């Protein structure tokens, strides 16, 4: 191809990408100068928010994901106990298969347990019993099935699945947890295979099945210049090459209600089946299933959108394709998502891409801002007159919502009819940096936040 033609094609491609991704590009590439030191919707930041750390080793840092693990009553499903599980990797600045670099895969990451109901409790590192010495462990997304006592089993086991970005390929690690010893996880097996291209986050649909997002078609594992350019181009241009699969285990390996066997586990690609549930998603990242099982939310990081899909939870076919119902833009690049028990989606993400890259690169003085919002279905759809007044975007000129916030979401994105967005937390990075996951306990109102390149766990209580 002649240089002039190459330049023309490249220019046209870039112009299309900027037109298509204009709002998201502005939101994450242009810094917001008036972010606060710390804002919490439930009260003053200094009086209501605190960072919980592992005081012994300070190894509970660079946590990418977190999830509630519940013990529920066997008949009516009432929650009896609840703890927090965290996926952390202090070596993330040396081994990150999504952002880079890929320089040192040797130091392992870890899983942590935090008892949110015990006053003065400190996080405990979870011992991975039976985990092979030769295996890397670089955890990313994770999910765990609730512990539900059975009539003949007072201490049931819960299946825990963790995305592992190991040195040679990404895998899914399965563990078994018991409330009898919640800080000990028995390794069950490794799921691997060519279908696990770029797994990022997962959300369980049963004790032995889950949705799994794949953030890139081209990964940094590609050889030479390909691994350094193609993933970056895919991200910058927000190419719709990510996807979501539904994974189902196909053998009788111990499930949530049976104790793990004495075997050391197996590694096999023949132990699961995979079907595509949703495709053409730019940078498919966090994923969550609503409490009633009828919705699936997926974060598209580079488009700065949350995609809401309808799911036929009554059909019995958990692997049925998802049906896109709504796109809700976010004022930042969303990372992970999690529904609370009342159906609000809690979204954490990154308002400024260059700051996040600077933190990852250990630049002196760098800090990455944090932003957490809730997205809640509105009481009813907007009527025809309101829709006509507000236009396709759903926001009237001069309309301000998400009020009382240092940087309201309405400054960045339009309102989508049928959804209410509210800022729960903001920081310029000095109070808490690089928010990647947030969870809200709907019963207590407490907000829990972890940061991709931050130390400890932010806990904000109303």
């Amino acid at each position: 191809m002649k240089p002039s033609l190459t330049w023309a094609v490249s220019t046209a491609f870039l112009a299309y990408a900027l037109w298509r991704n204009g709002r998201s590009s502005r939101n994450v590439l242009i810094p917001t100068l008036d972010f606060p030191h710390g804002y919490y919707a439930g009260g003053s930041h200094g009086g209501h928010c605190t960072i919980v750390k592992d005081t012994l080793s300070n190894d509970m840092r660079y946590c990418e994901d977190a999830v509630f693990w519940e013990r529920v009553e066997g008949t009516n499903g009432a929650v009896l106990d609840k703890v927090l599980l965290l996926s952390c990797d202090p070596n993330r600045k040396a081994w990150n298969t999504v952002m880079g670099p890929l320089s040192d895969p040797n130091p392992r990451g870890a899983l942590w347990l935090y008892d949110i109901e015990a006053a003065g409790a400190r996080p405990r590192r979870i011992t991975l019993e039976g985990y092979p010495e030769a295996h890397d462990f670089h955890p990313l997304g994770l999910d765990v099935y609730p512990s539900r006592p059975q009539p003949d089993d007072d201490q049931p086991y819960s299946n825990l699945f963790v995305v592992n970005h190991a040195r040679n390929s990404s895998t899914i690690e399965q563990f078994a947890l018991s409330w009898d010893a919640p800080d000990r996880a028995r390794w069950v097996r490794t799921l691997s295979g060519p279908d696990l291209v770029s797994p990022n986050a997962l959300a369980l649909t049963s004790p032995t099945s889950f949705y799994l997002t794949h953030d890139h078609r081209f990964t940094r594992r590609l050889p030479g210049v390909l691994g350094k350019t193609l993933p970056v181009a895919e991200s910058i241009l927000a190419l719709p090459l990510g996807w979501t699969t539904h994974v189902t285990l196909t053998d009788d390996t111990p499930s949530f209600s049976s104790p793990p066997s004495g075997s050391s586990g197996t590694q096999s690609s023949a132990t699961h089946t995979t079907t595509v549930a949703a495709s053409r998603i730019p940078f498919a990242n966090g994923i969550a299933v609503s409490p009633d099982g009828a919705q699936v939310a997926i974060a598209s990081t580079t488009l700065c959108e949350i995609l809401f899909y309808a799911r036929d939870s009554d059909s019995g076919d958990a692997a049925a394709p998802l049906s896109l119902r709504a796109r809700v833009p976010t004022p930042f690049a969303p990372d992970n998502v999690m529904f609370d028990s009342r159906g609000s989606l809690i979204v954490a993400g990154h308002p400024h891409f260059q700051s996040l890259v600077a933190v990852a690169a250990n630049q002196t003085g760098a800090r990455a801002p944090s932003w957490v919002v809730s997205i809640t279905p509105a009481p009813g759809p907007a009527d025809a007159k309101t829709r006509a007044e507000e236009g396709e975007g759903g926001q009237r000129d001069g309309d301000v919502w998400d009020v009382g916030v240092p940087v309201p979401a309405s400054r960045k994105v339009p309102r989508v009819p049928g959804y209410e967005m509210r800022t729960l937390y903001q920081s310029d990075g000095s109070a808490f940096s690089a928010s990647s996951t947030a969870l809200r306990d709907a019963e207590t109102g407490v907000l829990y936040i972890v940061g991709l390149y931050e130390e400890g766990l932010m806990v904000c209580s109303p």
Side-chain angles (χ1 to χ4, degrees):
M1 185 178 290
K2 295 181 179 180
S4 58
L5 182 58
T6 301
W7 181 88
V9 171
S10 301
T11 301
F13 193 38
L14 182 59
Y16 168 76
L18 291 175
W19 168 78
R20 177 173 176 266
N21 312 325
R23 181 178 59 228
S24 59
S25 297
R26 289 193 301 272
N27 286 346
V28 299
L29 296 180
I30 300 175
T32 301
L33 301 180
D34 52 345
F35 268 130
H37 164 71
Y39 165 82
Y40 170 53
S44 68
H45 191 279
H48 293 261
C49 296
T50 184
I51 295 180
V52 176
K53 294 185 178 181
D54 164 44
T55 56
L56 296 179
S57 63
N58 198 31
D59 281 340
M60 198 187 81
R61 50 197 169 98
Y62 302 175
C63 302
E64 198 273 345
D65 203 2
V67 65
F68 289 126
W69 178 31
E70 298 176 338
R71 183 167 69 92
V72 300
E73 207 278 327
T75 55
N76 60 23
V79 177
L80 303 176
D81 292 295
K82 182 188 300 182
V83 297
L84 195 62
L85 303 179
L86 300 93
S87 167
C88 310
D89 191 352
N91 189 48
R92 196 176 308 282
K93 288 185 178 180
W95 187 260
N96 186 330
T97 63
V98 181
M99 294 181 59
L102 303 180
S103 58
D104 183 8
N106 289 308
R108 282 182 174 179
L111 304 179
W112 292 82
L113 173 109
Y114 178 57
D115 189 345
I116 62 176
E117 298 182 352
R122 288 290 172 183
R124 289 179 283 168
R125 187 179 185 130
I126 296 177
T127 300
L128 306 182
E129 295 183 338
Y131 195 75
E133 288 294 330
H135 275 30
D136 298 316
F137 191 61
H138 295 287
L140 210 67
L142 81 167
D143 202 5
V144 63
Y145 205 75
S147 176
R148 187 183 300 271
Q150 305 297 314
D152 57 347
D153 188 0
D154 292 333
Q155 290 295 338
Y157 283 76
S158 288
N159 273 349
L160 167 67
F161 295 89
V162 184
V163 175
N164 178 19
H165 284 192
R167 73 182 67 199
N168 294 321
S169 62
S170 293
T171 61
I172 307 297
E173 307 296 339
Q174 181 185 352
F175 299 91
L177 287 173
S178 170
W179 279 92
D180 190 37
D183 58 353
R184 309 185 74 83
R186 166 62 64 177
W187 180 68
V188 176
R189 62 178 164 188
T190 296
L191 301 179
S192 62
D195 56 315
L196 301 180
V197 178
S198 55
N200 188 300
L202 53 84
L204 290 176
T205 56
S206 80
T208 55
S209 63
F210 50 87
Y211 289 112
L212 180 67
T213 60
H214 293 259
D215 51 61
H216 282 76
R217 174 65 64 182
F218 302 108
T219 74
R220 291 180 179 268
R221 299 182 188 277
L222 292 172
V225 68
L226 296 179
K228 296 178 180 179
T229 57
L230 291 183
V232 175
E234 183 178 339
S235 294
I236 292 177
L237 300 178
L239 300 180
L241 300 180
W243 70 101
T244 296
T245 58
H246 188 267
V247 179
T248 303
L249 306 191
T250 57
D251 66 5
D252 58 357
T253 302
S255 64
F256 79 108
S257 61
S258 305
S261 65
S263 66
S264 60
T266 61
Q267 179 170 333
S268 173
S269 59
T271 56
H272 68 277
T273 59
T274 299
T275 58
V276 176
S279 59
R280 298 183 56 79
I281 305 172
F283 202 138
N285 201 331
I287 185 169
V289 180
S290 62
D292 61 4
Q295 287 190 88
V296 173
I298 301 176
S300 174
T301 298
T302 49
L303 273 192
C304 295
E305 286 184 340
I306 303 300
L307 310 179
F308 286 92
Y309 293 85
R311 174 175 179 262
D312 188 359
S313 58
D314 297 326
S315 67
D317 183 10
L322 301 172
S323 177
L324 182 62
R325 286 292 180 262
R327 295 175 176 268
V328 178
T330 55
F332 50 80
D335 199 323
N336 285 313
V337 297
M338 181 66 65
F339 282 99
D340 68 15
S341 60
R342 295 179 182 173
S344 291
L345 187 73
I346 311 302
V347 185
H350 312 288
H352 189 227
F353 176 72
Q354 296 97 314
S355 295
L356 184 66
V357 171
V359 171
N362 269 331
Q363 291 186 15
T364 302
R367 61 190 187 191
S370 295
W371 200 336
V372 177
V373 300
S374 64
I375 301 176
T376 306
D383 58 31
K385 182 174 182 295
T386 302
R387 287 178 182 270
E389 290 175 349
E390 295 183 351
E392 186 67 23
Q395 181 182 3
R396 290 183 296 269
D397 290 339
D399 189 17
V400 177
W401 43 275
D402 190 29
V403 295
V405 181
V407 182
S410 60
R411 189 198 297 182
K412 305 278 189 175
V413 293
R415 174 186 289 154
V416 175
Y419 295 90
E420 296 292 336
M421 183 180 295
R422 181 191 178 203
T423 292
L424 303 180
Y425 186 89
Q426 277 181 353
S427 173
D428 60 7
S430 58
F432 197 78
S433 180
S435 57
S436 56
T437 300
L439 304 93
R440 182 173 63 186
D441 188 328
E443 301 303 319
T444 64
V446 178
L447 183 68
Y448 304 91
I449 311 171
V450 296
L452 190 65
Y453 293 106
E454 182 59 277
E455 298 181 357
L457 165 73
M458 175 63 80
V459 180
C460 294
S461 305

